[in-house]
Amino acid sequence: MELKELIERLDRLQAKKKAYSHATGMLYYDSVTGAPKGGAENRGNTLAVLSETVYELSAGEKTGQLLSELIEKSGELSPVTKRAVNELWREYERTKKIPESEYIEYQMLLNEAENVWHSAKINSDFKSFAPYLEKIFNTNIRFAGYFDPTEKPYNVMLDMYERGLNTERCDLFFSQLRKKLVPLIAAVSESSVKPDNLFLKQSYPVWRQRQLSDWLMEFMGLNRNHCAIGETEHPFTIPFDKTDVRITTHYYERDMASSLYSVIHEGGHALYELHTSDELKNTCLGSGVSMGIHESQSRFYENIIGRGRPFCALLLGKLRELFPERMSGVTEDMLYSAVNISMPSLIRIEADELTYSLHVMLRYELEKAVVEGSLTVSELPGAWNDKIKEYLGIDVPDDARGVLQDSHWSGGSIGYFPAYALGSAYGAQMLAKLKESIDVDAQIASGDISPISAWLEDKIWKHGSMFDPAPLFESCCGPFDPTYYTDYLTRKFTELYNL
Ligand SMILES: [Zn+2]
């Protein structure tokens, strides 16, 4: 076949894959926002029908044949087409190893598990979710064996979210964090500085909090014509295309900071997706490259910008406007200290910047133990509670605030968590690099962060999935070094807690 025709077929394949991903993604989004509970079965049937075609497009014979012909003509392909073909081939090779019936069954399991997890979390009833979680773990282990029988299953899972990541690298990374952060956390808890955040736990009407979200999205430069915000139990971002990215948040009347930082976090994910290059728009490369790089962006905005002193000054101005009665007497210093209180807590997404990576480390250790077979799913709640006690010294009152708190496992994402800590560390190293050319603090204080975003767009966002995460990171920051992260945290919390 002529190269021109092969490329046309490739374009059609990518357009179809994108359309199916749009449709299934929208069904998911709808299921956690507006869909009535009773529609789950019907949605499951629809997903099963769509999954058949998704499977065929990823791993069907026609796809395999087209890709192998293109690989033979590799030398004649543009860099973008070549990368797209290689990525699709990788997916083809993996997916075809999963028998079609198992693939479809798994999609249906996830759809059902999502609903069961929702009810289980509300009722703090791990037992009702356990059989589903067990199936999800077992399926992931089986699939990992299909993908690469020579590799440890958990390494295969880690690699799916962050190419090149494995337990060896994770163990080393977490041990470096543990060494530096555990003594720092202990010093903070012994400090006589005890900041107060009670003013953040008063009643903040949700309709006003929605106005705050609008302001935050504007500050971040999120184009509302292409980025919408919804409300769900657990905040997340779902990109359909660079012209349609959805973020969600959860408003708590008596915890205004929860939604505030969720919006900034998810907004960081959205910026990345919205600013992938136009050249990649209709290819499989028009989305963020890995979970670690993605989290580096979301956590950069959430913590480095959002919990930094210059932003807190701006934020206070807006809060005074929206909640004058709550903010009377609150100073910049009080707000900055309040949003940076470091205290052992139960919920990962609400954990402070300093203790956060311990929450991640705990999940990493538990996932690894279940996948390696040294822990059963039914033992998870107990093991969870023991580790929280060991690392943070607190008791878990119920599973809703323990093992059931995250949506990742019910969504089949096993091996995802380390990316959160890795992303935080990537972000700190990016900050050091950014500071070489931009006065970051002054820029944030001015209220115009566009030069910072432009730097990230140029170094990270625009490249979509053109490069693997490690070389992409190294191209802007040099070799990865977690010391940037531990130094950043040490500087910040030493100052905050007068250590
Ligand atoms: Zn995130």
Side-chain angles (χ1 to χ4, degrees), residues 237 265-266 269 294-295 298-299 348 356 416 420:
T237 301
H265 178 96
E266 302 307 333
H269 284 304
H294 241 299
E295 289 302 324
S298 55
R299 294 186 62 75
R348 175 186 59 84
Y356 184 84
Y416 183 123
Y420 287 115

Side-chain angles (χ1 to χ4, degrees), residues 35-93:
K37 256 182 144 351
E41 195 184 332
N42 183 47
R43 184 174 56 253
N45 294 336
T46 304
L47 280 169
V49 173
L50 295 176
S51 302
E52 282 177 38
T53 312
V54 170
Y55 183 90
E56 195 55 33
L57 291 171
S58 298
E61 220 172 290
K62 269 166 92 181
T63 297
Q65 203 164 352
L66 171 66
L67 294 175
S68 26
E69 281 190 55
L70 280 160
I71 287 168
E72 273 173 35
K73 296 184 193 297
S74 230
E76 300 166 57
L77 304 178
S78 73
V80 169
T81 308
K82 193 172 166 183
R83 171 80 176 176
V85 166
N86 287 343
E87 289 300 290
L88 290 168
W89 179 256
R90 190 180 153 94
E91 188 194 2
Y92 165 78
E93 286 250 276

